[in-house]
Amino acid sequence: MGNDRTVVRVLLDRRGRTYAEEAGIKLADRPGPLYQLLVLTTLLSTRIRACVAVDAARELFAAGYRTPQAMEAASWQERVDALGRGHYRRYDERTATMLGTGARLCLDRWHGDLRRLHREAQGDPAGLRRRLTEFPGIGPTGADIYLREAQSVWSDVRPYADRRALAGAKRLGLPGSPDRLAGLVDEPDFGRLASALVRVALGEESAGEVTRVAAR
């Protein structure tokens, strides 16, 4: 347990920012940040590098598309152009369409407030995943991304570790269950840990280097 805690501490020191934080989202249980996380999740759900998805999200937000109202009001070409500035070019046209459709769904179904989605599901992860996959471009993996990040503000979802996070834990020799991993950090830090473990699974962080530093 002591060695596991050291490994986790090193990992968080090196990769302790969530993807939402990297995209400039000040995550909170409010309509704006929760919608921005949905946008980021849509971008992360395609077969493209996470850093490109993060950059594209920052460009969309810099253009003012931080709410479903603003996203829908933007023209398709304006969304394409913002994605292009973030070098999100392979899927830019399809994703621009999905963002517009998803914004309309958010407004129609949830009145622009994803807290309503959370309340309707009563914090049940399966119910949340099912509702999130109704958004275009968000499948089971995308729903996992959203909940992995949202658990920082939706405490009833914690501890949420998806397949990728658990794969990262395995590479580091850490426990293979969310509950056991949660015992290695303070409760509010579990979302950061889950994101850091995903970075290990995706090769953005070296498991070998983390364990070497932890062994010093």
Side-chain angles (χ1 to χ4, degrees), residues 9-23:
R9 185 169 63 250
V10 171
L11 178 62
L12 290 178
D13 284 344
R14 294 168 64 93
R15 291 286 188 170
R17 298 181 72 200
T18 65
Y19 288 103
E21 287 174 326
E22 286 200 358

Side-chain angles (χ1 to χ4, degrees), residues 149-182:
E149 298 273 324
Q151 68 181 314
S152 296
V153 294
W154 287 350
S155 60
D156 52 0
V157 177
R158 290 199 297 263
Y160 195 91
D162 62 338
R163 175 179 52 84
R164 283 180 175 170
L166 294 178
K170 183 176 181 179
R171 288 191 183 186
L172 289 166
L174 294 172
S177 75
D179 287 339
R180 292 183 63 195
L181 286 169

Side-chain angles (χ1 to χ4, degrees), residues 87-164:
H87 306 290
Y88 196 96
R89 296 195 175 94
R90 184 177 176 186
Y91 301 100
D92 54 351
E93 295 185 355
R94 175 171 172 265
T95 301
T97 299
M98 291 192 301
L99 289 171
T101 304
R104 185 69 258 165
L105 175 62
C106 186
L107 291 166
D108 287 345
R109 178 82 186 273
W110 309 111
H111 303 282
D113 186 351
L114 293 175
R115 293 176 301 182
R116 292 171 177 262
L117 180 151
H118 183 214
R119 287 195 295 269
E120 184 178 292
Q122 298 182 328
D124 171 53
L128 287 165
R129 291 175 89 252
R130 185 171 61 254
R131 288 164 175 79
L132 287 165
T133 57
E134 293 176 12
F135 286 96
I138 297 182
T141 297
D144 282 338
I145 292 170
Y146 193 94
L147 294 178
R148 195 177 66 223
E149 298 273 324
Q151 68 181 314
S152 296
V153 294
W154 287 350
S155 60
D156 52 0
V157 177
R158 290 199 297 263
Y160 195 91
D162 62 338
R163 175 179 52 84
R164 283 180 175 170

